[in-house]
Amino acid sequence: DTGVSQNPRHKITKRGQNVTFRCDPISEHNRLYWYRQTLGQGPEFLTYFQNEAQLEKSRLLSDRFSAERPKGSFSTLEIQRTEQGDSAMYLCASSLMASNTDTQYFGPGTRLTVL
Amino acid sequence: SQQGEEDPQALSIQEGENATMNCSYKTSINNLQWYRQNSGRGLVHLILIRSNEREKHSGRLRVTLDTSKKSSSLLITASRAADTASYFCATDGRGAQKLVFGQGTRLTINP
């Protein structure tokens, strides 16, 4: 499968715990995005990388959130001291910066439940 | 915050009928994209229309874009039960890479 993959698919944790999610983009894609989606809403942008550089972060990304893409390939999103409000689907997408048409391809998401 | 607004929020039709969903947005865009999401799954890219295009087709899908009204529509012809899903429009603003999504239209196709 050459699509975007995310692990784990589901994560249940207790409030105050740290969690880390992984995203593996499509192999030749140099851009990687993280979004968050709550029930009944559209996805909301969190951050994006071009190669290993994190170029934009949303104000939604509080200081408890950190994302990395150390070698310009896979990325991790860590949430420290989780809160119940962090419960959501975390979506990763990747794209190839080749032209003005930057189609983003999404992974299946990681559903986080904070108890 | 969400840029786009989809209309209607929910749509239920019979199999074989056509489904039309509308999307409005607020700021200038480079491209507008439509995505489909089955319950609890990731988003599947359907079609991208550039700001200088007015209409685009892909199989049973037809997308229109009116930049003067800052609106787009997605038409699915000859609907099938497998088209049951949520549909989102997403825009990328000039100079911005992130996508801004609407709240989506939940489409139900009744057999």
Side-chain angles (χ1 to χ4, degrees):
Chain A
D1 187 347
T2 56
V4 178
S5 62
Q6 292 186 246
N7 287 289
R9 295 290 306 277
H10 303 273
K11 179 70 177 178
I12 299 174
T13 191
K14 293 182 179 179
R15 189 163 48 102
Q17 297 294 305
N18 299 343
V19 295
T20 300
F21 310 141
R22 176 176 170 130
C23 171
D24 287 88
I26 295 172
S27 60
E28 66 270 23
H29 284 186
N30 53 3
R31 285 183 173 164
L32 187 148
Y33 308 79
W34 286 98
Y35 292 82
R36 182 174 70 184
Q37 184 180 26
T38 53
L39 198 62
Q41 301 294 314
E44 293 181 293
F45 170 79
L46 292 177
T47 189
Y48 100 93
F49 294 84
Q50 183 165 304
N51 300 313
E52 65 274 11
Q54 188 173 19
L55 296 187
E56 187 175 351
K57 292 195 291 186
S58 163
R59 58 182 169 79
L60 293 175
L61 212 67
S62 76
D63 56 5
R64 295 186 298 107
F65 288 70
S66 62
E68 293 182 343
R69 194 184 184 197
K71 297 182 180 179
S73 56
F74 73 92
S75 175
T76 58
L77 177 68
E78 181 182 16
I79 308 174
Q80 295 182 328
R81 305 182 303 281
T82 52
E83 301 173 356
Q84 289 184 326
D86 297 330
S87 294
M89 175 80 89
Y90 290 83
L91 295 163
C92 175
S94 70
S95 70
L96 178 63
M97 183 190 71
S99 69
N100 195 34
T101 52
D102 192 9
T103 298
Q104 294 181 26
Y105 296 92
F106 282 78
T110 295
R111 182 170 296 283
L112 173 66
T113 302
V114 182
L115 302 176
Chain B
S1 62
Q2 309 269 305
Q3 149 142 266
E5 294 286 338
E6 273 100 338
D7 172 52
Q9 290 190 3
L11 178 62
S12 180
I13 61 173
Q14 295 299 120
E15 194 168 18
E17 294 180 339
N18 296 341
T20 299
M21 289 158 272
N22 302 297
C23 165
S24 61
Y25 57 92
K26 297 175 184 173
T27 61
S28 296
I29 62 171
N30 277 332
N31 308 295
L32 185 144
Q33 305 184 53
W34 285 90
Y35 286 85
R36 183 186 74 225
Q37 186 177 38
N38 292 87
S39 181
R41 302 283 188 94
L43 283 82
V44 174
H45 183 261
L46 295 177
I47 196 165
L48 179 150
I49 186 165
R50 301 179 189 183
S51 59
N52 62 354
E53 296 176 315
R54 292 296 166 259
E55 187 170 314
K56 205 161 182 181
H57 297 253
S58 176
R60 295 184 295 113
L61 306 180
R62 181 173 78 98
V63 169
T64 63
L65 179 64
D66 186 335
T67 52
S68 67
K69 295 181 179 178
K70 292 187 169 59
S71 67
S72 174
S73 68
L74 170 67
L75 168 68
I76 303 174
T77 60
S79 63
R80 305 168 181 169
D83 295 329
T84 294
S86 290
Y87 291 81
F88 295 92
C89 69
T91 56
D92 52 358
R94 296 192 183 279
Q97 306 307 326
K98 64 184 180 185
L99 292 178
V100 180
F101 286 83
Q103 291 185 322
T105 293
R106 291 191 315 277
L107 175 65
T108 302
I109 308 299
N110 302 303

